[in-house]
Amino acid sequence: MGRFNSMVKGKCPKCEEGKIFESNGNILKLQGPKMHEDCPHCNFKFEREPGYFFGAMFVSYGITTAEAIATFVAIRVLGIEMSVDLMMAIITAVMLIFLFPNFKLSRILWLYLFTKKHRTTPIDAASSEAQA
């Protein structure tokens, strides 16, 4: 499976088999997505140190800002006339709708950014002979 596909599916960045999140969360019940502490397949510890995902907040901020700007531009391009208050309400609604997906995406991106994939296939014979 390709690394991008594994990232989109929320798989472990180390083995690309185990799931990072055990639940998606439910915005109606105000329950956020829950992460596994370790990969269920390879036991890779996702939060390597306290505060590891602090940087993922900035990634989430960037994604949310991009969504807000895209919503604003879409409203303007479509030529929909509305008050500033209504436009802000729509942008806020879009930001709230994507709250949990952004949370998950930012953490997954943060993990993939700083984790090398575990090599599961042996190095080809030619390169191993060259090392000997």
Side-chain angles (χ1 to χ4, degrees):
M1 182 182 317
R3 191 131 169 100
F4 181 76
N5 288 336
S6 297
M7 185 170 54
V8 170
K9 292 180 181 180
K11 300 290 186 177
C12 171
K14 200 70 159 175
C15 68
E16 297 183 357
E17 296 288 330
K19 288 189 168 263
I20 296 172
F21 287 89
E22 60 184 77
S23 72
N24 289 329
N26 186 339
I27 198 161
L28 299 176
K29 295 180 181 178
L30 298 176
Q31 294 175 337
K34 182 153 175 53
M35 277 185 76
H36 288 286
E37 289 186 21
D38 303 320
C39 174
H41 186 262
C42 69
N43 293 324
F44 174 70
K45 186 169 177 60
F46 293 128
E47 188 169 359
R48 296 189 218 163
E49 59 189 36
Y52 177 71
F53 289 109
F54 183 73
M57 288 190 321
F58 297 103
V59 174
S60 179
Y61 175 75
I63 293 169
T64 304
T65 303
E67 289 167 354
I69 292 170
T71 304
F72 174 79
V73 169
I75 290 170
R76 287 296 184 200
V77 167
L78 293 173
I80 301 171
E81 291 297 322
M82 63 180 66
S83 68
V84 175
D85 294 339
L86 181 58
M87 187 178 300
M88 290 303 295
I90 291 171
I91 291 172
T92 302
V94 168
M95 291 166 64
L96 288 174
I97 288 168
F98 288 109
L99 177 70
F100 290 157
N102 287 347
F103 174 82
K104 288 178 62 174
L105 180 61
S106 64
R107 286 192 173 213
I108 290 169
L109 287 172
W110 195 253
L111 278 169
Y112 271 80
L113 188 62
F114 294 108
T115 305
K116 288 186 178 179
K117 182 180 188 276
H118 178 69
R119 185 180 295 271
T120 56
T121 56
I123 300 173
D124 63 347
S127 63
S128 63
E129 288 176 8
Q131 293 176 351

